Amino acid sequence: MTAERDGEADTGVSTTRKTFAILEALKSEEGLTITEITERTELPKSTVYRHLATLTDMGYVIEREGGYYIGLRLLEISEQTRNRKTGYTAAKRKVFELGQETDERSLFVVEEEYDAVYLHRYGSLADTMIGKRRPMHSLASGKVILAEWDDDRVADFVERKGLGRHTSNTITDPDALAEELDRVRKQGYAINDEEYMDGLCGVAVPVHTPDDELLGALGLFGPASRFTEDVHEEFVSRLRDKAGEIRVTLAYG
Amino acid sequence: MTAERDGEADTGVSTTRKTFAILEALKSEEGLTITEITERTELPKSTVYRHLATLTDMGYVIEREGGYYIGLRLLEISEQTRNRKTGYTAAKRKVFELGQETDERSLFVVEEEYDAVYLHRYGSLADTMIGKRRPMHSLASGKVILAEWDDDRVADFVERKGLGRHTSNTITDPDALAEELDRVRKQGYAINDEEYMDGLCGVAVPVHTPDDELLGALGLFGPASRFTEDVHEEFVSRLRDKAGEIRVTLAYG
DNA sequence: CGGTTGCGTTTCACTATCCGGAACATTGAT
DNA sequence: ATCAATGTTCCGGATAGTGAAACGCAACCG
């Protein structure tokens, strides 16, 4: 009823929330029918019908063979974000080169609202993971970005997002995190030692613009069996080269 | 008032339309302030304010330094479309390889609602063009797709979208289009001879799944000066190789 | 320093419009 | 032909979105 609650619940336009509830439903499972969306969103059938009519009319949703799909028009909107900075686009190419040269999975990650978000990725055909959000403290790329922040901002991150445990190796203690970030700052790269998922390791370095603004993190990851001590050096030097190339590209086109 | 008009105007939820009007405004120009969005959308200020509050609350829009930006959460939704089919993801890699090997711009295009839509692209750092929509009849890749359709569907396309002229070379006559599509079918590839933009040429081939379903079109394009008769053969054979590789990837993982 | 301009924010009364139950139409299967 | 399940339409009602206007806050400036 009244505007504000404990947190801040129902600001603004609930109609818009319904629309996006439907889009999110289609994200997780494409080709749904109206009734299936009804079940998943717990919205009345006629409401879903009306919203879908609007969305298809605008082209953001496509109906084909009785099922509904996210339209490519949304792609045009969101792709904007991946090219917001020239450095992002330059990073895309480097991610690809890294993947080809090392035959491992590679990624470029930026931070948004204290999440590590995949902007570019090279890897398995099944799932590109682009747009997926991960907890920063449990990823090599996330730690690289955290290491560039001052203590206050890191403290705020810890407070707001917490240091959730994902494996037995996850850093869950703020002091341990501070130590780790110090180490990252000193050595100039971060390592993920099965901290997010068992058996999954990674290495990442920061990417800077010519005027030393942080763009994001460039990383490689793969199974623990292949990410042993002795390959770290090679991976790190490759990553540094690519990060440097991005910087140069930005400076001299 | 009554449900339908001449075309079909205001179906469904006008609130949702307002939300997307705001998102579209941010797409074309990021970092806008509330008043700037007000001007561009011609919506009252308080309405824009309320919608933006909702969108930022949901994370689809981000506020930074007084300006509003599209959030990366939208990326997660739309990226789904680029990986709807495994072939799409496989094509991404091939587009990249093509670009690297030929040092020209390359693309993978699919059709949606009679538009040619860029799904993957390799080229300039400035603009990736992903998600952009182009008229099918004036693109090599578009013609490749049209050539796979039966006459009825092509006729429907012509009726619905028209054959708009973009340059002096654009095919604007339905019969000429039919002839051209015959040629494309025979030779198995299409050429864009400055039909969309003066000085811009292209070559494209169709991409099929192992069970001969059309996935989209794979193409190369660049300045007319480099796309002369004698290089067509080389480009076409390269494109055919890559299209074949996609097919094989789909068949044998 | 007042005054002014321009912006984001909030208020508030109004009613447009979104809602959703329920009836209806359509399809497909048995 | 019957039935079940789905998509579509209808319609009264009140929710909730609307937008003009007022407010608060900076920055700018005379």
Side-chain angles (χ1 to χ4, degrees):
Chain A
M1 297 288 170
T2 33
E4 45 185 332
R5 302 206 180 162
D6 335 315
E8 41 173 298
D10 45 357
T11 1
V13 209
S14 71
T15 304
T16 302
R17 290 183 195 277
K18 288 179 187 141
T19 289
F20 277 100
I22 292 172
L23 286 174
E24 290 283 354
L26 286 178
K27 179 193 79 185
S28 47
E29 208 175 344
E30 287 206 301
L32 292 176
T33 65
I34 289 186
T35 21
E36 285 169 336
I37 298 174
T38 297
E39 290 160 5
R40 267 151 252 244
T41 58
E42 292 186 338
L43 293 167
K45 198 166 47 156
S46 56
T47 300
V48 172
Y49 177 81
R50 203 171 335 108
H51 278 257
L52 281 175
T54 312
L55 287 169
T56 47
D57 182 53
M58 292 190 290
Y60 296 120
V61 163
I62 302 290
E63 184 189 2
R64 212 187 316 149
E65 297 152 20
Y68 287 91
Y69 297 81
I70 309 250
L72 297 177
R73 220 167 279 270
L74 263 185
L75 191 58
E76 201 180 344
I77 296 182
S78 69
E79 192 62 19
Q80 173 69 22
T81 62
R82 294 175 78 202
N83 303 105
R84 182 169 291 151
K85 303 182 180 179
T86 317
Y88 289 178
T89 320
K92 178 180 178 181
R93 200 167 292 191
K94 296 305 160 190
V95 165
F96 203 95
E97 292 172 7
L98 272 168
Q100 281 191 317
E101 292 167 15
T102 64
D103 211 23
E104 296 288 350
R105 281 120 222 260
S106 58
L107 52 77
F108 177 70
V109 159
V110 299
E111 173 266 345
E112 182 180 272
E113 294 190 319
Y114 290 155
D115 279 330
V117 188
Y118 291 76
L119 266 207
H120 302 297
R121 175 145 185 284
Y122 180 96
S124 71
L125 291 178
D127 181 18
T128 62
M129 302 184 69
I130 288 168
K132 290 270 163 62
R133 308 174 88 88
R134 295 277 180 270
M136 297 181 70
H137 70 291
S138 57
L139 253 57
S141 47
K143 290 195 285 186
V144 155
I145 294 173
L146 284 172
E148 302 258 333
W149 293 355
D150 58 40
D151 293 349
D152 283 354
R153 200 166 170 195
V154 172
D156 192 43
F157 159 76
V158 171
E159 192 191 337
R160 288 250 302 271
K161 304 289 289 187
L163 301 176
R165 174 176 297 285
H166 300 98
T167 70
S168 55
N169 282 10
T170 309
I171 299 173
T172 55
D173 175 58
D175 293 334
L177 180 65
E179 269 180 52
E180 170 74 354
L181 295 184
D182 262 339
R183 195 173 314 124
V184 172
R185 271 183 282 262
K186 280 205 190 76
Q187 63 194 16
Y189 65 90
I191 284 179
N192 171 359
D193 180 22
E194 309 189 43
E195 292 161 42
Y196 177 68
M197 184 182 275
D198 286 317
L200 192 70
C201 291
V203 194
V205 304
V207 182
H208 292 103
T209 63
D211 40 338
D212 289 325
E213 185 202 348
L214 178 67
L215 268 177
L218 203 60
L220 284 163
F221 67 98
S225 55
R226 285 206 298 274
F227 276 67
T228 49
E229 283 285 337
D230 46 321
V231 295
H232 282 164
E233 198 184 339
E234 185 210 326
F235 284 165
V236 168
S237 85
R238 269 189 196 281
L239 287 166
R240 281 201 176 119
D241 286 351
K242 297 296 180 188
E245 286 168 28
I246 292 173
R247 195 187 169 100
V248 170
T249 303
L250 293 180
Y252 304 101
Chain B
M1 293 291 171
T2 32
E4 43 186 331
R5 302 205 180 163
D6 333 318
E8 39 172 299
D10 45 357
T11 1
V13 208
S14 69
T15 305
T16 302
R17 290 182 194 276
K18 287 176 189 149
T19 290
F20 277 100
I22 292 171
L23 286 174
E24 289 284 352
L26 287 179
K27 178 194 78 182
S28 47
E29 208 176 343
E30 287 207 303
L32 293 176
T33 65
I34 289 186
T35 20
E36 285 168 337
I37 297 174
T38 298
E39 292 160 5
R40 268 150 251 242
T41 58
E42 293 185 337
L43 292 168
K45 197 163 50 156
S46 55
T47 300
V48 173
Y49 176 81
R50 203 170 338 104
H51 278 255
L52 282 174
T54 312
L55 287 169
T56 47
D57 182 52
M58 292 189 290
Y60 297 119
V61 162
I62 301 291
E63 185 189 2
R64 211 188 315 147
E65 297 153 19
Y68 287 90
Y69 297 82
I70 309 252
L72 297 178
R73 220 168 279 269
L74 264 185
L75 191 60
E76 201 180 343
I77 296 183
S78 69
E79 192 61 20
Q80 173 68 24
T81 63
R82 294 175 78 204
N83 302 105
R84 182 168 292 151
K85 303 180 180 180
T86 318
Y88 290 178
T89 321
K92 178 179 178 181
R93 201 168 292 189
K94 295 305 160 189
V95 165
F96 203 95
E97 292 172 8
L98 272 168
Q100 280 191 317
E101 291 167 15
T102 64
D103 211 22
E104 297 288 350
R105 281 120 223 258
S106 58
L107 53 76
F108 178 70
V109 158
V110 298
E111 174 266 345
E112 183 180 271
E113 295 188 321
Y114 289 156
D115 280 330
V117 189
Y118 292 75
L119 264 206
H120 302 297
R121 176 149 184 283
Y122 179 96
S124 71
L125 290 179
D127 181 18
T128 61
M129 303 184 67
I130 288 167
K132 290 270 163 60
R133 308 173 88 88
R134 296 275 180 272
M136 296 181 72
H137 70 290
S138 58
L139 252 57
S141 47
K143 291 194 284 187
V144 154
I145 295 173
L146 284 173
E148 302 258 333
W149 293 357
D150 58 41
D151 294 349
D152 284 353
R153 199 166 170 193
V154 173
D156 192 45
F157 159 76
V158 171
E159 192 192 336
R160 287 251 302 271
K161 305 288 289 186
L163 300 176
R165 175 175 296 285
H166 301 98
T167 70
S168 53
N169 283 10
T170 308
I171 299 174
T172 56
D173 175 59
D175 293 334
L177 180 65
E179 271 180 51
E180 169 76 354
L181 296 185
D182 261 340
R183 195 174 314 123
V184 171
R185 270 184 282 263
K186 280 204 192 74
Q187 62 194 13
Y189 65 90
I191 283 179
N192 171 0
D193 180 23
E194 309 189 43
E195 293 161 42
Y196 177 68
M197 185 181 275
D198 286 317
L200 192 70
C201 290
V203 194
V205 303
V207 182
H208 293 103
T209 63
D211 39 338
D212 290 323
E213 184 202 348
L214 178 67
L215 268 175
L218 203 59
L220 284 163
F221 66 98
S225 56
R226 285 206 300 272
F227 276 67
T228 50
E229 284 284 339
D230 47 319
V231 296
H232 282 164
E233 198 184 339
E234 185 210 327
F235 283 165
V236 168
S237 86
R238 268 189 197 281
L239 286 167
R240 280 201 176 122
D241 286 350
K242 296 297 180 189
E245 285 168 28
I246 293 174
R247 195 187 170 96
V248 170
T249 303
L250 293 180
Y252 304 101

